[in-house]
């Protein structure tokens, strides 16, 4: 795979990016409302386009996790243009109770999505979203307004927040992975409630629950890593994305 420079309108920030053993000078922007945020590497497949594309929304914590960048890199190996989002600062779930802060991150993610859709070789009408933990909250909001963004599939990893009204408005299928040993036990109940509401409103919200899987079960460097669950989730996710984003 190769790394393609991300070009955006606005003020430019020049920085070096190391990925796949290649040093690449990239041009990025300071996102509106979040002066600390920077554009992440865009990973391309080796095959010829046009390509479907995936935007990866990281868990809370650092500016952007290595986990999210690694996911984007691996998705390129599956035939997708992929990019992770940097939130620009350390955040936590508390941001969801701060409307102004949440709105700033929503705008940042929307800007990142728009940038990805306009990358060379990307089919703007075949876009997917993957949200990890806190990223799942933003992902489900995008799924309810997907038509205008070219989104056709959303995947959530252990970040199933309770938004029953949003589920009623889903415009695209959602696949959610959850571990039954998650430290955030409310996510388990939320998963099944969201699935129930979706079914009652003829929406697709599928839940896969893994036994003995903790929060972050697919993150190798952590003590929560669960190889069987991580492998199964990845295979299911790729099949789901392929089914909804690739021509048949």
């Amino acid at each position: 795979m190769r790394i393609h420079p991300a070009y955006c309108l606005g003020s430019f920030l020049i920085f070096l990016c190391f990925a796949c053993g290649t040093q690449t000078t990239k041009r990025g922007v300071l996102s509106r409302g979040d002066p600390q945020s920077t554009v992440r590497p865009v990973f391309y497949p080796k095959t010829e386009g046009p390509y479907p594309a995936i935007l990866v929304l990281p868990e809370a914590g650092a500016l952007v996790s290595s986990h999210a960048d690694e996911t984007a890199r691996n998705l390129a190996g599956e035939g997708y243009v992929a990019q992770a989002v940097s939130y620009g600062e350390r955040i936590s779930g508390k941001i969801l109770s701060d409307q102004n802060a949440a709105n700033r991150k929503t705008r940042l993610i929307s800007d990142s999505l728009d940038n990805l859709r306009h990358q060379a070789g990307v089919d703007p009408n075949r876009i997917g979203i993957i949200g990890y933990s806190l990223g799942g909250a933003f992902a489900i909001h995008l799924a309810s307004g997907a038509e205008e963004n070219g989104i056709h599939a959303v995947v959530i990893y252990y970040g199933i927040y309770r938004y029953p009204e949003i589920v009623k408005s889903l415009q695209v299928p959602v696949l959610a992975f959850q571990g039954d040993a998650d430290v955030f036990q409310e996510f388990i109940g939320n998963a099944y409630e969201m699935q129930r509401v979706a079914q009652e409103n003829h929406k697709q919200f599928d839940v896969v629950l893994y036994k003995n899987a903790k929060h972050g079960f697919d993150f190798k460097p952590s003590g929560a890593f669960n190889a069987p669950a991580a492998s199964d989730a990845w295979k299911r996710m790729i099949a789901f994305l392929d089914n909804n984003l690739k021509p048949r």
Side-chain angles (χ1 to χ4, degrees):
M1 69 194 71
R2 56 193 174 88
I3 301 174
H4 191 283
Y7 294 94
C8 289
L9 297 176
S11 301
F12 290 103
L13 173 67
I14 307 298
F15 64 101
L16 295 178
C17 171
F18 292 87
C20 298
T22 302
Q23 179 176 323
T24 307
T25 301
K26 296 179 60 62
R27 292 192 293 170
V29 296
L30 301 181
S31 178
R32 296 194 302 273
D34 274 39
Q36 299 180 58
S37 67
T38 57
V39 175
R40 304 303 302 167
V42 179
F43 297 95
Y44 269 71
K46 291 181 179 179
T47 58
E48 294 297 323
Y51 316 93
I54 308 291
L55 188 67
V56 183
L57 308 182
E59 61 270 30
L63 302 184
V64 65
S65 73
S66 59
H67 179 213
D69 271 346
E70 184 65 19
T71 296
R73 182 182 292 108
N74 290 337
L75 284 166
E78 301 285 353
Y80 294 90
V81 175
Q83 182 183 34
V85 171
S86 171
Y87 295 132
E89 60 183 332
R90 287 184 175 272
I91 60 176
S92 70
K94 293 180 180 179
I95 194 174
L96 300 178
S97 60
D98 183 336
Q99 193 62 53
N100 290 331
N103 286 342
R104 287 197 300 273
K105 296 308 172 191
T106 300
R107 288 195 298 270
L108 183 155
I109 292 168
S110 294
D111 287 349
S112 299
L113 179 61
D114 186 61
N115 174 64
L116 182 61
R117 291 178 67 240
H118 288 90
Q119 291 296 308
V122 168
D123 184 337
N125 297 309
R126 291 192 288 147
I127 307 296
I129 301 289
I130 299 174
Y132 288 97
S133 192
L134 180 60
F138 296 112
I140 197 66
H141 279 81
L142 287 167
S144 66
E147 185 174 349
E148 63 190 54
N149 295 319
I151 299 172
H152 285 276
V154 170
V155 177
I156 298 173
Y157 273 81
Y158 41 82
I160 308 170
Y161 289 77
R162 187 177 180 275
Y163 292 119
E165 292 305 314
I166 289 179
V167 171
K168 294 178 182 178
S169 303
L170 285 181
Q171 296 184 29
V172 297
V174 175
L175 175 62
F177 300 116
Q178 182 60 51
D180 69 354
D182 198 312
V183 65
F184 301 104
Q185 284 288 297
E186 64 270 22
F187 284 163
I188 301 171
N190 291 348
Y192 287 113
E193 180 182 4
M194 298 279 271
Q195 185 179 51
R196 177 185 59 77
V197 173
Q199 290 173 345
E200 291 175 352
N201 289 273
H202 309 289
K203 307 294 183 180
Q204 184 177 341
F205 190 101
D206 297 325
V207 176
V208 179
L209 184 69
Y210 292 108
K211 291 184 177 181
N212 303 316
K214 300 179 181 179
H215 198 80
F217 64 78
D218 67 324
F219 190 26
K220 286 185 179 179
S222 77
F225 182 63
N226 183 315
S231 176
D232 184 76
W234 183 264
K235 291 176 183 177
R236 288 175 183 265
M237 179 181 71
I238 295 303
F240 172 78
L241 294 174
D242 287 352
N243 184 58
N244 288 286
L245 299 178
K246 290 185 177 179
R248 301 175 203 173

